[in-house]
Amino acid sequence: MNNLELEKKLDLYRGMRTIRECEERLVRSHQRGLIPGPCHTYIGQEAVAVGVCACLRNDDVIFSTHRGHGHAIAKGLHPRELMAEVFGRATGCSGGRGGSMHLFAPEVGLMGTSGIVGPSILQATGAGYSFKVLKTDQVSVAFFGDGAVNNGAFHEGLNMATIWNLPVLFVCENNQFATEVPFHYSSGNPSVAARGAAYGLPGVEVDGNDVLAVYEVAGEAIQRARSGEGPTLIECKTYRTRPHAEGMDDYSYRTREEVDEWKSRDPILRLREILVADNESMKENLGAMDTEVKALIDEAEKFAEESPYPDPLTAEDHVFSANSRKIDHA
Amino acid sequence: MNNLELEKKLDLYRGMRTIRECEERLVRSHQRGLIPGPCHTYIGQEAVAVGVCACLRNDDVIFSTHRGHGHAIAKGLHPRELMAEVFGRATGCSGGRGGSMHLFAPEVGLMGTSGIVGPSILQATGAGYSFKVLKTDQVSVAFFGDGAVNNGAFHEGLNMATIWNLPVLFVCENNQFATEVPFHYSSGNPSVAARGAAYGLPGVEVDGNDVLAVYEVAGEAIQRARSGEGPTLIECKTYRTRPHAEGMDDYSYRTREEVDEWKSRDPILRLREILVADNESMKENLGAMDTEVKALIDEAEKFAEESPYPDPLTAEDHVFSANSRKIDHA
Amino acid sequence: MREITFMQATLEALSEEMAKNPKIFVMGEGIGKRGGNFNTTKGLFDLYGPDRLCDTPICERGFVGLAAGAAMTGTRPVIDFMFADFILDAAGEIINQIAKIQYMSGGRLKAPVLLRGCIGIGHSAGTHHSGSYYPMYAHFPGLRVVVPSNAYDAKGLLKQSLNSNDPVLFLEHKSLLTKKCPVPEEEFLIPFGKARIVQKGADVTVVALAMMVHQTLEVCKQLEGEGVSVELIDPRTVAPMDIETILDSVHKTGRLLIVDETFAPCGIGAEIAAQVNDRGFDDLDAPIRRLNGAHSPTPYSPPLEAAVVPQPDRIAQEIRDLMAE
Amino acid sequence: MREITFMQATLEALSEEMAKNPKIFVMGEGIGKRGGNFNTTKGLFDLYGPDRLCDTPICERGFVGLAAGAAMTGTRPVIDFMFADFILDAAGEIINQIAKIQYMSGGRLKAPVLLRGCIGIGHSAGTHHSGSYYPMYAHFPGLRVVVPSNAYDAKGLLKQSLNSNDPVLFLEHKSLLTKKCPVPEEEFLIPFGKARIVQKGADVTVVALAMMVHQTLEVCKQLEGEGVSVELIDPRTVAPMDIETILDSVHKTGRLLIVDETFAPCGIGAEIAAQVNDRGFDDLDAPIRRLNGAHSPTPYSPPLEAAVVPQPDRIAQEIRDLMAE
Ligand SMILES: Cc1ncc(C[n+]2csc(CCOP(=O)(O)OP(=O)(O)O)c2C)c(N)n1
Ligand SMILES: Cc1ncc(C[n+]2csc(CCOP(=O)(O)OP(=O)(O)O)c2C)c(N)n1
Ligand SMILES: [Mg+2]
Ligand SMILES: [Mg+2]
């Protein structure tokens, strides 16, 4: 992967920095009481979304979870639209109807995040089925946590994708916990990747804090999917370094030391080190990029904060199509 | 297994013969229009129910499916109560409320059959959990078809039983078809037993038409379960030699030759041959037993046919407890 | 006009729409080569191939969840679930995903999923193959719920469903599938939310659904003989519900009975009664009555089964009682 | 009398019953050491150990299905599902198994499963964490459905639930959990199907549930000042529904409004309206009115969220309008 061209690596760096910067701002906003609903950050896991989405075309699609800010931005959602949505503003990507757990931007292939654990797997499988029926070469990705692995949706989705040979990537971000319940407790089998065998599809484990490794593994799987060779299960071993959701306890089920240990494997720092090790002068470039990203997020935050709330009179719009009339005497 | 004492083998023979005789009668009754509802026979698969249940105590429990006559009788339900239920009579094991797919006889450990595919797996897991909480050494068995294997219930049930080390046997009767859809089409993985590995529980494959083999494998697994060593998945390779349900087409998805081939592996004939090979004079004993069984089923059928229908005024009884009053101003 | 069965009518509708729209595909158990447990896709496999008539494993939640993702990405899935009881396993995907995608996304996405299959009590199918569920689905926002009572309506409404941008539950009473009625060969659609006045009458309004339309019709003549003129209304879709047609009728008759095979509590009859009481209060000359199936699981044995479904004589008696109020 | 919160009340009830009955166990996500997302099992893990406070994987269908089998074999499972939205994935196990086992088996088996968790709109939880679902569960036979509005009722009804032989859905409105009220230290149970008259009044009957009891109470004083005397009734359980208490009240007032946060179509208000129209027709001086949350998924943004829930001023206005009828 080290022969990846520098520009691509810098893109990966920028992608991760953008997510991180955006979420650190959301954390502070949450602490200041500016975010009305729950907020699950992706801090520590950025390498997964960025590594995978860097291999996707704009018309490829992703489906994600309650912890979906990173996937949304990595797929191309402007941070402005994310932040406005999390702030509950009309300019948010879901018009303020969704919130942090319900992000939609079909024009960049973000087909949605879900507050319920499981559906992303099935919906991504469904998109894969669409591409088969429509005979396109698009690819679909399901992001989900280790918590979804022992849910029936995992079983049913992976099996269907395999028997119909669908162009789908199943990306499990094994951050070791579902809220506070450890994966090793919930799962009779400690390996997610190994479960691919149960369905007859390839399962690959990768260091989810190494964006270059994720990029490589995802790239191959997407290539396979696009060329009609079927689905792949990828287990990204990673860790969230913030609490499950903002405002929640964090050291009742894991130690500060463990968290600190993982912070030292931060995916952004790691790529930074690689880049700088290759070329000491890179430090400056990266610094400049950090500044750019900061400016982008400054602007996005300002946009979000200054955006209007949706009009209460529109609360019932979009339940049905056809100008949201509830009854169409068509 | 050949050192299994003769008496036990004769019991197995009698058990299989009883189910077969009973169901052949039900087939004829169905053809004569005497059975009001659907009727899925177990013909060809008797070795599984009989082999497994012969290893169980009366206070062990089983949970079964739409194809549950065999399990019910093997666990100790009197054929009278089965036939009366299938005939819709008040004397049936479920008082005529259930029918062929809803058989209950808790006093012999038949905790129910289900018209919906999947629940037997979860409910057996639940019984295993009860036994853990109650600290008894009872064992619970889930019977299910290959059709349930790709259902989320399989995934969730097997995983829970494994992580909590529950005394449960998961007995998959792989008769190769779910209605008319072949297992090799529905499943990314051709082996059910191999899927045990996905959950970290032992998976064993056995010839489901060989009652002695089933008895051996089930006996070991039940021993393991009873002594606290946890669940086992057993895949019994078998075949139903009648249509999915009485009255349905049968040769649109499989050939007459294939069915005939399997008929030649009939589990009852096979045991008979073994017994007779050991001792030629056994023929007479078996003949006598066949006659006994026939008399038993004659009597059962007569009982069923002569039993009264339930009183329509009781149609709403047993929705709730407390004398089925709908509202208990307790 | 030619007469065809309910089953033939829906098969025609589906085949016509599939011929026109290559984005339609059907999924379900045994709906491929076999042509469906209820012949709902008979012959289509040969016409449209395995990708568009896709047999599934038994994983209702899975393939309904799949349909959501497929619909969001440009196809139009038809889920043929055989018995409505089975898709309770997919209730989360229907209620929290399919029904909400349009709203959650601020209108950016649509989920034109058609969920179709059988409902209803009959033939000792037992309690896991007899449920109806339309009140439950009508309760939640975002779903169209269609409950046709005859071949003509079934064809027109299935075609409407396959052209709607909203998710639709299309529920077919088992006992109606082989019933025939005249259905034109020409193309026609029936809009959602438009009731059918099955029979005009002056004395009492009866609203009935699916099989109960026929059971009620059976006693109308007899009642006519007794001097009671029944106006019989079939809402055809329960979400949306065409309350205007019912109100107009009650305005005329002053009396209303709702006959529905499935459970009363929080059911369709309750909703109609509540709306008519609210908006037609001054028109009412008597209490609104509901006649529902028993509030119990469906028993297997024929005499018990008959006891939990409204029978024609019960319907007639309810109407007489209501006339006496 | 001491005052404790709703949460404390249910925790007490559960702990008292667990101490008495070793067959009770609790399952759910994070209900072990963590003590539950809503502190519903706080401290119980240390008292009763891991087998009786069992953390689960995220497999709602699985552990609800497990509960059915456990209940049939002698234990009494409590499923703590956190948000009611999540157990839609288990709807099949609830409606087709747990609710029917007693009936299907001709009374030979019981399924005393307690399914408990949170409902309700508030705090921008978003559309996957705001549902209420009690009308759906009340529709099906075989289930008790409890929707308490305060700590006292919650304790008495939870204890009743843990002593019932029938399956119970016990639904706790998120916004009520930290509300306090007087709760005696002594043991008490509250039977199912017994409404509470929250406030006596003469002019109009208002039936309200859960959070809406408090929203309505808020405007009662104000209306008193305007000369309108409200009788406020909290049914506490929606299955069974105590229609007698409501009928008695309407007999007195002649006017009825049902205020319910969740969806109107085929909802609790519809059922009450239908029954009161039927049995209390002659008592009615005005149409029965319903005030429900909007029939739309729950939006996230605070002003939208507020717009889909009945607010006190809307309630007051509905009552005034009804008085003017
Ligand atoms: C079906 C369902 N059950 C429970 C929850 C509550 N819940 C939200 S996030 C979460 C943990 C998810 O863990 P995991 O999938 O590993 O994702 P992570 O939070 O670690 O990213 C739980 C239990 C839910 N949202 N959906
Ligand atoms: C959840 C559910 N989906 C579909 C059905 C309809 N159905 C009844 S039996 C059956 C096939 C079952 O196949 P399998 O599990 O292999 O059992 P077998 O009939 O072969 O014994 C199907 C699809 C059902 N009963 N339940
Ligand atoms: Mg996790
Ligand atoms: Mg099979």
Side-chain angles (χ1 to χ4, degrees):
Chain A
M1 264 299 99
N2 268 349
N3 52 8
L4 192 69
E5 56 291 24
L6 178 62
E7 205 171 325
K8 193 80 210 174
K9 288 185 187 163
L10 289 176
D11 277 354
L12 296 173
Y13 180 85
R14 187 199 317 266
M16 294 196 290
R17 278 296 309 144
T18 304
I19 297 170
R20 178 69 58 87
E21 184 71 33
C22 181
E23 292 209 296
E24 286 181 340
R25 228 61 85 75
L26 289 176
V27 166
R28 252 166 291 155
S29 297
H30 194 276
Q31 288 161 348
R32 284 160 54 212
L34 300 178
I35 295 180
C39 180
H40 306 79
T41 75
Y42 195 61
I43 291 175
Q45 305 183 199
E46 294 88 345
V48 179
V50 170
V52 171
C53 292
C55 305
L56 295 174
R57 299 195 313 226
N58 188 65
D59 67 343
D60 292 329
V61 297
I62 68 168
F63 295 84
S64 155
T65 67
H66 59 285
R67 197 176 302 290
H69 304 163
H71 310 121
I73 292 181
K75 191 65 177 69
L77 181 70
H78 197 290
R80 239 188 333 220
E81 286 195 56
L82 170 67
M83 296 187 91
E85 186 62 32
V86 178
F87 277 61
R89 307 303 164 108
T91 52
C93 61
S94 312
R97 278 176 170 63
S100 162
M101 292 194 274
H102 306 276
L103 308 168
F104 295 86
E107 66 285 2
V108 298
L110 171 64
M111 305 313 281
T113 65
S114 166
I116 307 277
V117 169
S120 68
I121 298 175
L122 302 174
Q123 291 172 11
T125 305
Y129 201 86
S130 267
F131 302 152
K132 182 179 180 167
V133 168
L134 300 173
K135 300 190 174 37
T136 73
D137 69 345
Q138 285 156 279
V139 169
S140 163
V141 179
F143 289 103
F144 53 96
D146 49 286
V149 169
N150 294 298
N151 185 286
F154 176 88
H155 187 67
E156 299 187 352
L158 267 68
N159 186 62
M160 289 189 294
T162 307
I163 64 174
W164 297 324
N165 198 43
L166 304 180
V168 185
L169 236 68
F170 296 102
V171 180
C172 174
E173 302 186 48
N174 186 347
N175 63 10
Q176 305 186 32
F177 294 96
T179 315
E180 309 197 357
V181 178
F183 185 64
H184 66 76
Y185 168 87
S186 295
S187 185
N189 180 342
S191 166
V192 177
R195 294 205 182 183
Y199 310 99
L201 95 170
V204 190
E205 182 180 311
V206 63
D207 178 346
N209 282 30
D210 177 348
V211 70
L212 299 179
V214 173
Y215 180 80
E216 181 173 10
V217 164
E220 281 164 21
I222 290 164
Q223 201 35 53
R224 273 176 30 83
R226 209 181 295 291
S227 57
E229 291 170 60
T232 305
L233 169 63
I234 301 177
E235 176 182 12
C236 302
K237 297 268 195 189
T238 183
Y239 201 84
R240 62 169 160 72
T241 51
R242 300 237 8 120
H244 172 72
E246 287 312 301
M248 281 176 73
D249 276 355
D250 207 22
Y251 300 114
S252 43
Y253 61 103
R254 60 184 191 177
T255 61
R256 213 172 278 271
E257 290 67 45
E258 188 179 300
V259 177
D260 286 343
E261 216 280 290
W262 276 94
K263 278 187 183 160
S264 75
R265 299 188 225 167
D266 184 272
I268 303 181
L269 289 182
R270 273 171 72 178
L271 179 59
R272 188 183 186 94
E273 274 160 26
I274 289 169
L275 286 165
V276 171
D278 283 357
N279 177 354
E280 182 62 23
S281 78
M282 201 39 75
K283 268 191 183 164
E284 260 167 69
N285 294 19
L286 297 177
M289 201 178 273
D290 291 350
T291 311
E292 259 176 58
V293 167
K294 192 179 166 309
L296 176 78
I297 304 300
D298 278 343
E299 189 276 334
E301 190 172 27
K302 189 156 176 292
F303 172 82
E305 287 198 56
E306 291 177 356
S307 285
Y309 283 102
D311 179 353
L313 292 176
T314 67
E316 293 180 57
D317 285 2
H318 303 299
V319 179
F320 290 108
S321 59
N323 299 320
S324 74
R325 277 176 304 125
K326 283 207 181 173
I327 301 190
D328 48 18
H329 288 287
Chain B
M1 261 299 101
N2 271 349
N3 51 7
L4 191 70
E5 57 291 23
L6 179 62
E7 205 170 325
K8 194 77 210 175
K9 286 183 189 162
L10 289 176
D11 279 355
L12 297 173
Y13 180 84
R14 190 199 314 268
M16 292 195 292
R17 279 295 309 147
T18 306
I19 297 169
R20 177 70 58 88
E21 184 71 33
C22 182
E23 291 207 296
E24 286 180 340
R25 230 59 85 78
L26 289 176
V27 165
R28 252 165 293 156
S29 299
H30 194 275
Q31 288 161 349
R32 286 159 54 211
L34 300 176
I35 295 180
C39 180
H40 306 78
T41 76
Y42 195 59
I43 291 176
Q45 305 183 198
E46 295 88 346
V48 178
V50 169
V52 171
C53 291
C55 305
L56 295 174
R57 300 195 314 226
N58 188 65
D59 68 342
D60 291 330
V61 296
I62 67 168
F63 296 83
S64 157
T65 66
H66 58 287
R67 197 177 300 292
H69 304 164
H71 310 120
I73 293 183
K75 191 64 178 69
L77 181 69
H78 197 290
R80 241 190 331 223
E81 287 195 56
L82 171 67
M83 295 188 93
E85 186 62 31
V86 178
F87 277 61
R89 308 304 165 108
T91 53
C93 61
S94 313
R97 277 175 172 64
S100 164
M101 291 194 275
H102 307 276
L103 307 168
F104 296 86
E107 66 284 3
V108 297
L110 171 62
M111 305 314 280
T113 65
S114 166
I116 307 277
V117 169
S120 69
I121 298 175
L122 302 174
Q123 290 172 12
T125 305
Y129 201 86
S130 267
F131 302 151
K132 181 178 182 168
V133 168
L134 300 172
K135 300 190 174 38
T136 73
D137 68 347
Q138 286 157 278
V139 169
S140 164
V141 180
F143 290 102
F144 53 96
D146 49 285
V149 169
N150 295 298
N151 186 286
F154 175 89
H155 187 66
E156 299 186 353
L158 267 68
N159 186 62
M160 289 189 295
T162 307
I163 65 174
W164 297 323
N165 199 41
L166 303 180
V168 185
L169 235 68
F170 297 102
V171 180
C172 175
E173 301 187 48
N174 186 347
N175 63 8
Q176 305 184 33
F177 295 97
T179 316
E180 311 196 356
V181 179
F183 185 63
H184 66 75
Y185 168 85
S186 295
S187 185
N189 181 342
S191 166
V192 177
R195 293 205 183 184
Y199 310 99
L201 95 169
V204 190
E205 183 180 308
V206 63
D207 179 346
N209 282 31
D210 178 348
V211 71
L212 300 178
V214 173
Y215 181 80
E216 182 174 12
V217 164
E220 280 165 20
I222 290 164
Q223 203 32 57
R224 274 175 30 83
R226 209 181 294 292
S227 58
E229 291 170 61
T232 305
L233 169 64
I234 300 178
E235 177 182 11
C236 301
K237 296 269 195 191
T238 184
Y239 201 84
R240 61 170 160 73
T241 51
R242 297 231 18 111
H244 172 71
E246 286 313 300
M248 281 176 73
D249 277 352
D250 208 22
Y251 299 114
S252 44
Y253 61 103
R254 60 184 189 177
T255 62
R256 215 173 275 272
E257 290 66 45
E258 187 179 301
V259 177
D260 287 343
E261 216 281 290
W262 276 94
K263 278 186 183 161
S264 75
R265 299 187 225 169
D266 185 90
I268 303 181
L269 290 182
R270 273 171 74 177
L271 179 58
R272 187 182 187 94
E273 273 161 27
I274 290 169
L275 287 164
V276 172
D278 282 358
N279 176 352
E280 182 63 21
S281 76
M282 200 40 74
K283 268 190 181 162
E284 260 167 69
N285 294 19
L286 298 177
M289 202 179 270
D290 290 349
T291 311
E292 259 177 58
V293 167
K294 193 181 164 308
L296 176 77
I297 303 301
D298 279 343
E299 190 277 331
E301 192 172 26
K302 189 158 177 288
F303 172 82
E305 287 197 55
E306 291 176 359
S307 284
Y309 283 101
D311 179 351
L313 292 176
T314 67
E316 294 180 57
D317 284 3
H318 303 299
V319 179
F320 291 108
S321 59
N323 299 319
S324 73
R325 278 177 303 124
K326 284 209 181 171
I327 300 193
D328 50 14
H329 288 287
Chain C
M1 203 188 296
R2 66 171 185 163
E3 297 213 333
I4 59 174
T5 65
F6 191 113
M7 221 149 58
Q8 287 168 321
T10 57
L11 186 58
E12 266 188 17
L14 180 58
S15 189
E16 287 170 18
E17 293 300 316
M18 286 188 81
K20 271 194 288 195
N21 183 352
K23 295 181 180 175
I24 297 176
F25 70 89
V26 187
M27 266 195 183
E29 292 148 18
I31 58 83
K33 210 172 219 140
R34 183 178 163 210
N37 189 58
F38 295 108
N39 297 322
T40 42
T41 53
K42 198 106 204 153
L44 300 186
F45 185 86
D46 292 336
L47 289 175
Y48 307 114
D51 289 353
R52 296 182 65 199
L53 284 128
C54 179
D55 276 331
T56 62
I58 305 174
C59 55
E60 277 75 8
R61 180 179 172 202
F63 58 77
V64 171
L66 176 153
M72 290 156 78
T73 49
T75 47
R76 184 179 278 278
V78 177
I79 299 298
D80 187 332
F81 47 69
M82 201 177 336
F83 287 89
D85 311 271
F86 304 160
I87 53 156
L88 280 184
D89 292 344
E93 306 308 321
I94 298 171
I95 294 165
N96 265 330
Q97 306 292 334
I98 290 172
K100 289 182 177 175
I101 283 166
Q102 226 174 115
Y103 186 87
M104 291 192 290
S105 69
R108 286 182 160 195
L109 282 164
K110 309 226 172 295
V113 178
L114 171 59
L115 297 148
R116 74 173 294 191
C118 282
I119 59 168
I121 296 176
H123 316 290
S124 286
T127 194
H128 286 166
H129 296 75
S130 299
S132 280
Y133 307 102
Y134 40 80
M136 160 180 160
Y137 293 113
H139 174 66
F140 293 101
L143 300 169
R144 306 299 195 189
V145 186
V146 182
V147 193
S149 71
N150 62 68
Y152 177 87
D153 290 348
K155 180 162 183 191
L157 285 161
L158 192 62
K159 292 193 68 129
Q160 170 79 4
S161 302
L162 288 165
N163 285 285
S164 163
N165 282 321
D166 299 316
V168 178
L169 272 134
F170 190 92
L171 302 172
E172 308 161 71
H173 197 292
K174 279 181 318 217
S175 304
L176 295 173
L177 298 182
T178 53
K179 273 196 197 298
K180 287 188 174 191
C181 83
V183 178
E185 318 244 2
E186 308 79 66
E187 165 106 5
F188 67 99
L189 271 69
I190 298 172
F192 299 142
K194 207 88 212 82
R196 187 167 63 93
I197 299 176
V198 181
Q199 160 175 311
K200 288 226 164 267
D203 300 332
V204 54
T205 304
V206 179
V207 176
L209 285 162
M211 194 56 198
M212 291 301 121
V213 175
H214 301 269
Q215 304 292 64
T216 305
L217 208 48
E218 226 176 81
V219 300
C220 281
K221 224 173 228 140
Q222 178 188 344
L223 288 162
E224 195 79 51
E226 299 174 22
V228 180
S229 160
V230 175
E231 178 139 311
L232 176 58
I233 296 175
D234 174 1
R236 305 196 285 199
T237 66
V238 295
M241 168 67 72
D242 179 3
I243 201 72
E244 304 301 334
T245 297
I246 299 170
L247 284 168
D248 287 348
S249 177
V250 172
H251 179 66
K252 185 172 64 178
T253 64
R255 285 177 157 74
L256 174 61
L257 168 70
I258 305 114
V259 186
D260 184 13
E261 176 184 306
T262 194
F263 312 127
C266 304
I268 300 298
E271 179 59 25
I272 294 173
Q275 288 201 45
V276 171
N277 176 286
D278 184 350
R279 297 176 52 198
F281 188 72
D282 294 332
D283 290 330
L284 288 171
D285 297 325
I288 300 166
R289 286 279 142 78
R290 289 180 288 169
L291 177 59
N292 282 84
H295 198 222
S296 86
T298 307
Y300 167 79
S301 181
L304 297 181
E305 192 187 43
V308 301
V309 178
Q311 303 295 338
D313 54 345
R314 271 291 301 286
I315 299 172
Q317 198 49 51
E318 285 290 330
I319 295 172
R320 284 184 207 108
D321 291 352
L322 182 52
M323 287 313 298
E325 275 285 337
Chain D
M1 203 187 297
R2 67 174 183 156
E3 299 214 332
I4 59 175
T5 65
F6 191 113
M7 220 146 61
Q8 287 168 322
T10 58
L11 186 58
E12 266 189 19
L14 179 60
S15 190
E16 287 170 20
E17 293 300 316
M18 287 188 81
K20 273 195 285 194
N21 183 351
K23 296 181 178 175
I24 297 176
F25 69 88
V26 187
M27 266 195 184
E29 293 148 18
I31 59 82
K33 209 171 220 143
R34 183 177 164 211
N37 189 56
F38 295 108
N39 298 321
T40 43
T41 53
K42 198 106 206 153
L44 300 186
F45 185 86
D46 292 337
L47 290 174
Y48 305 113
D51 289 353
R52 295 182 66 198
L53 285 128
C54 179
D55 276 329
T56 63
I58 305 174
C59 54
E60 277 75 8
R61 179 179 172 200
F63 58 75
V64 171
L66 176 153
M72 290 158 77
T73 50
T75 47
R76 185 178 277 280
V78 177
I79 299 298
D80 188 332
F81 49 68
M82 201 177 335
F83 287 88
D85 311 270
F86 304 159
I87 54 156
L88 280 184
D89 291 344
E93 307 305 321
I94 299 172
I95 294 165
N96 265 330
Q97 306 293 334
I98 291 173
K100 290 183 175 174
I101 283 166
Q102 230 176 111
Y103 187 87
M104 290 192 290
S105 69
R108 288 181 159 196
L109 282 165
K110 307 225 173 297
V113 178
L114 172 58
L115 296 149
R116 75 174 293 195
C118 282
I119 58 167
I121 297 175
H123 315 290
S124 287
T127 193
H128 286 167
H129 296 75
S130 298
S132 281
Y133 308 100
Y134 42 81
M136 159 179 161
Y137 293 113
H139 174 66
F140 293 102
L143 299 170
R144 307 297 195 187
V145 185
V146 183
V147 192
S149 71
N150 61 68
Y152 177 88
D153 291 346
K155 181 165 185 189
L157 284 162
L158 192 63
K159 292 193 70 129
Q160 171 78 4
S161 302
L162 287 165
N163 286 285
S164 162
N165 282 322
D166 300 316
V168 179
L169 272 134
F170 190 92
L171 302 172
E172 308 161 73
H173 197 292
K174 278 179 321 212
S175 304
L176 295 173
L177 298 181
T178 54
K179 274 198 196 298
K180 288 189 174 192
C181 83
V183 178
E185 318 243 359
E186 308 83 66
E187 166 106 6
F188 67 99
L189 271 68
I190 299 173
F192 299 141
K194 210 82 218 84
R196 187 167 61 93
I197 299 175
V198 181
Q199 160 176 310
K200 288 222 164 270
D203 301 331
V204 55
T205 304
V206 179
V207 176
L209 285 162
M211 194 56 199
M212 291 301 120
V213 175
H214 301 268
Q215 304 291 64
T216 306
L217 208 49
E218 224 175 84
V219 301
C220 280
K221 232 187 214 122
Q222 179 189 344
L223 287 162
E224 195 79 51
E226 300 173 20
V228 180
S229 160
V230 175
E231 179 139 310
L232 177 58
I233 296 176
D234 174 1
R236 303 197 286 199
T237 66
V238 295
M241 168 67 71
D242 179 2
I243 202 71
E244 306 299 334
T245 298
I246 298 170
L247 284 168
D248 288 348
S249 177
V250 173
H251 179 68
K252 186 171 64 179
T253 63
R255 286 178 157 73
L256 174 61
L257 168 72
I258 306 113
V259 186
D260 184 11
E261 176 185 306
T262 194
F263 311 126
C266 303
I268 300 299
E271 181 57 28
I272 294 172
Q275 288 201 46
V276 171
N277 175 286
D278 184 352
R279 296 176 54 196
F281 189 72
D282 293 332
D283 290 331
L284 288 173
D285 298 324
I288 300 165
R289 288 279 142 79
R290 291 180 287 170
L291 177 60
N292 282 84
H295 197 223
S296 85
T298 307
Y300 168 80
S301 181
L304 296 181
E305 192 185 44
V308 299
V309 177
Q311 304 295 337
D313 53 346
R314 269 293 298 285
I315 300 171
Q317 197 50 49
E318 284 291 330
I319 295 172
R320 283 186 208 108
D321 291 351
L322 181 53
M323 288 312 298
E325 277 285 337

